[in-house]
Amino acid sequence: MQSDKPHVLVTGGAGYIGSHACKALAAAGYVPVTFDNLSTGWRDAVKFGPLEQGDLTQRSTIDPVFEKYNFQAVMHFAALSLVGDSMRDPGNYWRTNVTGGLNLIEAAIDAGCLNFVFSSTCATYGDQDGVTLDESSAQQPVNAYGGSKRAIEDMLRDFGASHGLRHVIFRYFNVAGADPDGEIGEFHQPETHLIPLMLDAVDGKRPALTVFGTDYDTPDGTCIRDYVHVCDLVDAHVLGLNWLAEGKDSSVFNLGTGRGFSVREVINASSAVTNRDVPVVEGDRRPGDAVKLVSGSRKAEEELGWSPSRSDMNSMIRDAWRWHQNGAYKA
Ligand code: UDP
């Protein structure tokens, strides 16, 4: 017998962002049911609701989960999500992300669950000559990761028109930080993201951080990104659920702060927060990297009522550093 609390299906709930979403959902009175194939996620990160193991590319593994629970909504995080990887093996990205997304959307519709929150990305905008990006900016992804996410956005619009699937799409900028309570955090194997790699270099787990490209057309020659704290990011998802529950129209929101940081600026901030040097070597550009991705929109604040409170660079690095020193998951 399902409890009276509203249940939300969280695909990818064992991953970095999905696990923080589960914590925020549980705090808001929901039961987050994680659906994850544990290919990149961690069983130990599923602490706030049940785990259902399965693979979205196999529809036969998701249908029974919709039969077992009565979901108020789906939050879809499960995906392959590495820009560099997507350039080396685009087929895997298109197959996994698009097939998985399509199976999930059709399973949700067949089960009568018509509220859908989707984890999309600023990588759907591509490289736009350094302009700040708002939700109406053209979507011209420059890597297969962004392309596969844009395809799912398109699907949501089509199934919205044909089947009444109501959706909130969040286009994330760069997600950073960790749960300030230290219960969960960012842990990828292999790690590819800037801040955890940098912290590895700070405490000697790696010899140095390689800066991917120092000849970009930016003030210090390195790429610029807009970083947002994972806890602020998942708070927006809870607001997205409320938005759908209130019967509002499907919508899309950027989640970023509007402040860009170059790779060198992030390195300097890490050095200041940890009070240690960051060993750095300069390397080649990474294929698929846009020069600058910064949100130029306040739509999430104005319409959703989102108010990020931890997304200043020092708080993000401080929370990531605390997790980095104490936290890890077992395989
Ligand atoms: N980056 C870097 N060295 C690394 C990893 C990342 O210089 O070892 C740069 C990367 O080129 C990008 C920024 O840091 O400009 C953020 O990269 P990350 O992989 O963290 O996130 P992405 O922007 O790809 O989602």
Side-chain angles (χ1 to χ4, degrees), residues 8-11 21 25 72-78 104-105 108 113-120 149 152 156 165-172 233-245 251 253 255 304:
V8 176
L9 177 64
V10 183
T11 73
L25 285 167
Q72 176 181 313
V74 173
M75 273 192 193
H76 180 35
F77 297 96
L104 177 65
I105 289 169
C113 177
L114 296 179
N115 294 322
F116 201 102
V117 176
F118 177 52
S119 151
S120 188
K149 289 280 187 174
I152 299 170
L156 288 170
L165 182 68
R166 298 171 60 255
H167 52 271
V168 169
I169 293 168
F170 288 117
R171 294 189 188 136
Y172 308 163
L233 185 98
V234 298
D235 284 349
H237 290 64
V238 177
L239 295 171
L241 279 187
N242 298 344
W243 175 276
L244 292 172
S251 197
F253 299 97
L255 294 178
L304 265 188

Side-chain angles (χ1 to χ4, degrees), residues 64-115:
V65 180
F66 278 104
E67 280 159 26
K68 184 169 171 185
Y69 303 92
N70 179 20
F71 292 116
Q72 176 181 313
V74 173
M75 273 192 193
H76 180 35
F77 297 96
L80 298 175
S81 61
L82 303 177
V83 167
D85 228 19
S86 83
M87 298 300 282
R88 282 185 293 276
D89 191 358
N92 197 23
Y93 273 68
W94 283 102
R95 201 164 28 250
T96 305
N97 291 354
V98 173
T99 312
L102 181 57
N103 282 340
L104 177 65
I105 289 169
E106 293 194 314
I109 288 171
D110 287 351
C113 177
L114 296 179
N115 294 322

